[in-house]
Amino acid sequence: MPFTHSLSRHASGGRISLVGAGPGDPDLLTVRAARALGAADVVVHDGLVDPRILDLVRPEALLINVAKRRDHHSMPQDAINALLVAEAQSGQYVVRLKGGDPFIFGRGGEEMEAAHAAGVPVDIIPGITAALGCAAGVGMPLTHRELASSVTFVAGQKRDLAAQDWRGLAGPGRTLVIYMGLATAADTSAKLMADGQPASTPVAIIENGARPDARVLRGRLDRLADLVREHNVQSPALIVVGAVAAYAALTPQTFAIPALENAESE
């Protein structure tokens, strides 16, 4: 048998799995993540999780949407932590389903700490983080022997963005990937150029990456905010700064792969 980790719903006591849903496409879920969704009693999910992934949850399970948007949280993080713990303490197998990976800008560390503090068993099921999945979907290597030997992920929504020290994060031989950066695109481009990044640096915006309606916009750093505004870019979206951005295909492509029959029993 190729899979040995038990995800039975009938294990004694409640527990929590922090599960990465990947960048959108259900085919990019890990096998373990799909099995967890099929075993869960309660699924607490982000608002940006693709509905096709939620279709993998068994019909009897309770779905709880804790969608978060900029400056508006349907449920504060402390309340989410308390919800996860309470459901697990009642004997439920709880899946906390997050877009991308739980430990990359997903606040998974805080939820893990809350479970530990309450004495609730918790495990982590990683997912393909948005930067990797979305870049792959548009044919853009985040590192490249000739162009970039390092890559950095940053969150662009911090209120104290101007005070952040980003020197050395972008420039020749580097790729900078900005999560949650649409609303601060103007401040971000100004900050990078003030730190010496050329205005002509290639940028790419990937909207709805790894989904059927994915869209790619390419341009220059000094036009980043204009790209967002003129094309009405909406979340979820990533911003990539660096020479590799020029590789991003304007029309993303994916190919259907035949399903493997009886893969688990072979």
Side-chain angles (χ1 to χ4, degrees):
M1 292 290 291
F3 307 122
T4 59
H5 181 81
S6 173
L7 288 169
S8 169
R9 292 190 296 108
H10 305 292
S12 60
R15 57 209 173 97
I16 300 170
S17 289
L18 306 182
V19 178
D25 187 342
D27 284 347
L28 296 180
L29 281 173
T30 64
V31 172
R32 190 174 174 195
R35 293 178 62 205
L37 290 173
D41 298 304
V42 179
V43 176
V44 180
H45 64 92
D46 289 346
L48 293 178
V49 171
D50 193 295
R52 295 172 297 167
I53 292 176
L54 296 178
D55 287 343
L56 301 176
V57 178
R58 63 192 187 93
E60 299 84 1
L62 174 63
L63 287 174
I64 302 175
N65 186 344
V66 291
K68 295 181 180 181
R69 296 290 188 273
R70 180 176 171 83
D71 297 326
H72 175 73
H73 292 179
S74 63
M75 185 179 290
Q77 186 62 48
D78 287 346
I80 294 174
N81 297 349
L83 171 66
L84 298 175
V85 168
E87 291 289 348
Q89 288 178 331
S90 73
Q92 304 298 302
Y93 175 37
V94 182
V95 164
R96 174 67 171 107
L97 186 63
K98 300 170 172 292
D101 179 89
F103 281 179
I104 302 292
F105 303 125
R107 304 189 76 165
E110 297 169 50
E111 292 166 354
M112 180 182 67
E113 289 169 348
H116 287 166
V120 173
V122 58
D123 72 336
I124 315 302
I125 302 178
I128 297 175
T129 189
L132 303 182
C134 295
V138 300
M140 180 175 59
L142 295 180
T143 63
H144 188 287
R145 183 176 179 182
E146 303 297 331
L147 300 174
S149 59
S150 67
V151 58
T152 303
F153 303 158
V154 298
Q157 66 177 6
K158 286 184 174 293
R159 287 184 171 84
D160 59 345
L161 181 64
Q164 300 296 307
D165 185 2
W166 284 11
R167 287 173 296 179
L169 299 187
R174 302 180 179 92
T175 301
L176 179 64
V177 181
I178 304 167
Y179 286 66
M180 302 168 288
L182 295 181
T184 56
D187 293 336
T188 295
S189 59
K191 176 182 182 61
L192 290 172
M193 288 187 292
D195 286 342
Q197 191 69 8
S200 59
T201 301
V203 298
I205 303 172
I206 309 172
E207 180 187 59
N208 290 318
R211 301 184 186 209
D213 56 347
R215 182 169 60 144
V216 182
L217 303 168
R218 293 196 316 226
R220 295 163 39 116
L221 180 60
D222 60 350
R223 289 271 299 158
L224 177 59
D226 296 328
L227 282 174
V228 173
R229 182 182 64 256
E230 292 170 4
H231 295 274
N232 191 31
V233 180
Q234 302 295 317
S235 293
L238 285 176
I239 298 169
V240 181
V241 180
V244 299
Y247 275 78
L250 297 181
T251 305
Q253 287 188 335
T254 57
F255 301 102
I257 299 175
L260 294 177
E261 296 183 3
N262 302 320
E264 187 169 337
S265 61
E266 293 179 356

